Amino acid sequence: MSNRHLARTVVLQTMFQWDFMGRQADLNSMVQKNINELAPGMQDDGFAERLAQGVVKHLTDIDETIARLAPEWPLDQVPAVDRNVLRLEVYELKYGKEIPPKVAINEAIELAKTFGSDSSSKFVNGVLGSLYKELQVAGEAPIEDFKQVFENLSADDKESNEVSAVPETETTDDTPKE
């Protein structure tokens, strides 16, 4: 398990606990305590703390985004695991920008499969997929790989950047043979 996946797992478990306790406790100290208990020695360069702080900082907007993208599911009726997976990964998609969007969505699906119900991964994938499409339309989704960069070049740019293969001309040696 990578350190970032482990960090997300610890933050998710902490957010679930924090949410269950009515979001009254200090999430940052809870994250630190859970890192020490659940992942001693984890080296993540403060990634877990940045995730937790980012979710808290943008919680109102994150919850509004989830409610807008899943209108049939009032946020208080979304299972706590799903709600917190979505909070974590909506933060990463909209604000975190430390990983490509498709990686964030994949991480969310894996967390939902591990900690949620049988339908959690599909629900999470649907909500985050809708958010990703919105970000793409708004031009806010980062370019993820060279293929996307190349596809976004105009036809003129492609032509000017292509290496043309010039056929070699045959040369004849007119010098007399000895």
Side-chain angles (χ1 to χ4, degrees):
M1 180 181 300
S2 76
N3 279 338
R4 288 207 167 190
H5 181 77
L6 181 58
R8 281 186 195 89
T9 300
V10 171
V11 172
L12 173 62
Q13 292 171 326
T14 306
M15 287 175 52
F16 179 88
Q17 179 184 11
W18 178 68
D19 199 19
F20 184 78
M21 296 170 54
R23 300 187 306 231
Q24 299 301 314
D26 177 36
L27 183 60
N28 292 328
S29 63
M30 292 174 67
V31 167
Q32 201 55 52
K33 179 180 182 256
N34 285 341
I35 287 173
N36 293 336
E37 288 181 12
L38 302 172
M42 178 178 71
Q43 300 295 318
D44 73 341
D45 298 321
F47 180 69
E49 290 86 355
R50 285 193 306 277
L51 284 179
Q53 290 169 359
V55 169
V56 171
K57 179 178 179 183
H58 299 284
L59 186 62
T60 301
D61 181 58
I62 290 168
D63 284 353
E64 288 171 0
T65 300
I66 295 167
R68 181 175 46 77
L69 294 172
E72 300 83 25
W73 286 91
L75 199 58
D76 63 339
Q77 292 180 11
V78 173
V81 169
D82 299 358
R83 180 173 54 243
N84 286 292
V85 167
L86 286 170
R87 285 175 172 159
L88 183 63
E89 296 308 327
V90 166
Y91 168 75
E92 284 203 271
L93 284 171
K94 287 185 80 172
Y95 304 104
K97 310 291 186 190
E98 289 189 47
I99 60 169
K102 291 179 183 177
V103 174
I105 293 170
N106 187 55
E107 284 288 330
I109 292 167
E110 291 304 314
L111 290 170
K113 284 179 181 177
T114 302
F115 297 104
S117 68
D118 291 340
S119 61
S120 292
S121 62
K122 291 176 185 168
F123 176 67
V124 165
N125 187 36
V127 172
L128 295 178
S130 296
L131 176 58
Y132 178 63
K133 287 177 187 172
E134 282 184 3
L135 294 172
Q136 282 183 310
V137 168
E140 297 174 14
I143 294 175
E144 295 187 33
D145 61 18
F146 178 76
K147 182 179 178 187
Q148 285 182 304
V149 173
F150 188 73
E151 288 172 354
N152 289 335
L153 291 175
S154 68
D156 293 338
D157 289 340
K158 283 183 187 177
E159 288 175 12
S160 67
N161 289 329
E162 288 179 356
V163 176
S164 60
V166 179
E168 293 183 25
T169 58
E170 289 184 30
T171 59
T172 58
D173 191 307
D174 293 337
T175 56
K177 295 193 179 194
E178 295 180 29

